[in-house]
Amino acid sequence: MIKPAYDVPSRSTPTLHNWTPVTTDELEKLIGSAPCKTCQLDPVPTWLVKNMKTLLSPFVTLLFNKSLAGGCYPSDFKKAVVHPLLKKAGSDTSQRKNYRPVSNLSFLSKLLERVVQKGLQEFLDSNNLMPVTQSAYRQYHIKETAVTKMYNDLLLAADEGDVSALCLLDLTAAFDTVDHDLLMLRLEHQFGLCGVVLQWFSLYLSDRTFQVVFGGSTSSQLVCGHYCLLCAARFCSGSASFYFIHGGPR
C-alpha cells in the first residue's frame, strides 16, 4: 500500500496541552448513565459496577486521572473481542464479505474513552474547530440534520434557477483508511493537540490487540494493523477521526 504524503501544514489554532482532571461526581454520573453491557474482558458484570458506583468511583477516578496526567493508556484497555455478525439476515454465511465485525471493549476502557471524548469535544467546540455541517457523532446533530441542510440548499439553488448535482461517496471499510501517523500529524498541526494530550492519543492507538469469537471458537490474540481502527473507540474510529484525516478546520 502506498503511504500518503505527510506534508501536513500547521494552522494557527489554540492548543490543548493537558487534560482537565475528571471529578468523582462526574465519573459517578458517567457510570450511572452507561449502558448495562458486559464484555467477556470485564472481571465483574457491568450491573454490579453500576450498583456499586458510589464506592468504586473514587478509585476509578484516581486511575483515570493518572492516565490523563501522564499521557498513558493502560495496556489491558487495548484488548478487544470481535464478534462477526451478519449484515443482513439470510445472507450466505460462507461469504466473509457478508459479515461486519463488532468490537467489544472492557467497560472501564469505554468509560475512559467517554471522559476523553467529552474533553476533546469541548475543546473543539469552544474553539470552533468542527464544521457546522458535520452531523455524525455530535450532540444535537443527527442524519436528519444533514438531510435538512442539503434539501434547503437544493431549494435555494432551484429558486435561483441553478442546476444542482449531488455527489455521494461511500467508502468500503472507510475507517480502515485512516493512517495513524497521518492522524497524529493532523491532530497536532491542524487541531492544536500537543504535549500530554497528543502522547495519550499516540499510546491509545498503538499496540492494540483483538481476538475473534465465532461459532463457539476463539482465535489467538491478533495485532491491529497500522491503518485499522477496528478496536478503537467511537471518538477515534467514528466520523471524528475520518474528519481529522480527510477534513479539517474551516
Side-chain angles (χ1 to χ4, degrees):
M1 181 179 294
I2 300 176
K3 283 201 168 190
Y6 291 147
D7 183 17
V8 180
S10 297
R11 297 177 63 93
S12 179
T13 62
T15 56
L16 182 62
H17 294 265
N18 299 288
W19 296 112
T20 301
V22 62
T23 67
T24 301
D25 289 340
E26 289 173 337
L27 194 61
E28 188 172 338
K29 291 179 181 177
L30 284 176
I31 294 175
S33 62
C36 197
K37 298 180 180 178
T38 300
C39 172
Q40 67 187 65
L41 297 172
D42 293 322
V44 296
T46 299
W47 64 264
L48 182 58
V49 177
K50 291 171 69 71
N51 287 347
M52 303 294 290
K53 62 179 183 293
T54 303
L55 177 64
L56 296 175
S57 291
F59 301 101
V60 180
T61 300
L62 178 62
L63 172 64
F64 284 8
N65 283 333
K66 287 288 186 180
S67 169
L68 299 176
C72 56
Y73 193 76
S75 56
D76 281 349
F77 287 6
K78 298 182 180 184
K79 300 176 181 178
V81 175
V82 176
H83 295 270
L85 299 180
L86 277 175
K87 296 177 182 179
K88 295 182 180 180
S91 300
D92 185 356
T93 57
S94 65
Q95 296 294 320
R96 286 182 295 178
K97 65 180 181 180
N98 292 333
Y99 291 88
R100 62 182 179 90
V102 176
S103 181
N104 294 330
L105 306 171
S106 67
F107 178 74
L108 286 184
S109 70
K110 290 187 290 187
L111 202 62
L112 178 55
E113 289 166 352
R114 290 184 64 190
V115 171
V116 170
Q117 180 187 21
K118 181 175 180 292
L120 177 62
Q121 196 65 57
E122 288 176 352
F123 170 74
L124 295 174
D125 290 340
S126 63
N127 293 288
N128 298 317
L129 294 175
M130 296 293 283
V132 295
T133 52
Q134 179 173 331
S135 295
Y137 300 109
R138 296 183 68 189
Q139 192 175 24
Y140 311 123
H141 291 72
I142 53 178
K143 60 184 179 181
E144 282 78 5
T145 312
V147 173
T148 301
K149 172 67 169 63
M150 181 182 66
Y151 183 62
N152 182 68
D153 289 346
L154 291 173
L155 290 178
L156 291 176
D159 288 343
E160 294 294 327
D162 296 332
V163 176
S164 298
L166 178 62
C167 180
L168 302 176
L169 176 64
D170 184 11
L171 297 178
T172 301
F175 303 138
D176 288 348
T177 67
V178 178
D179 177 85
H180 293 180
D181 292 338
L182 183 56
L183 173 61
M184 294 303 299
L185 283 173
R186 288 187 63 85
L187 287 174
E188 180 181 8
H189 294 171
Q190 297 281 311
F191 296 91
L193 272 60
C194 55
V196 170
V197 173
L198 195 66
Q199 178 181 315
W200 190 95
F201 274 109
S202 177
L203 293 177
Y204 170 83
L205 288 170
S206 64
D207 302 322
R208 302 194 71 101
T209 61
F210 67 98
Q211 291 177 292
V212 179
V213 177
F214 184 72
S217 300
T218 303
S219 74
S220 58
Q221 203 167 76
L222 306 170
V223 178
C224 289
H226 187 72
Y227 286 80
C228 181
L229 287 172
L230 176 67
C231 305
R234 226 174 222 198
F235 75 86
C236 237
S237 67
S239 65
S241 67
F242 200 65
Y243 161 69
F244 290 146
I245 285 288
H246 301 288
R250 297 290 186 263

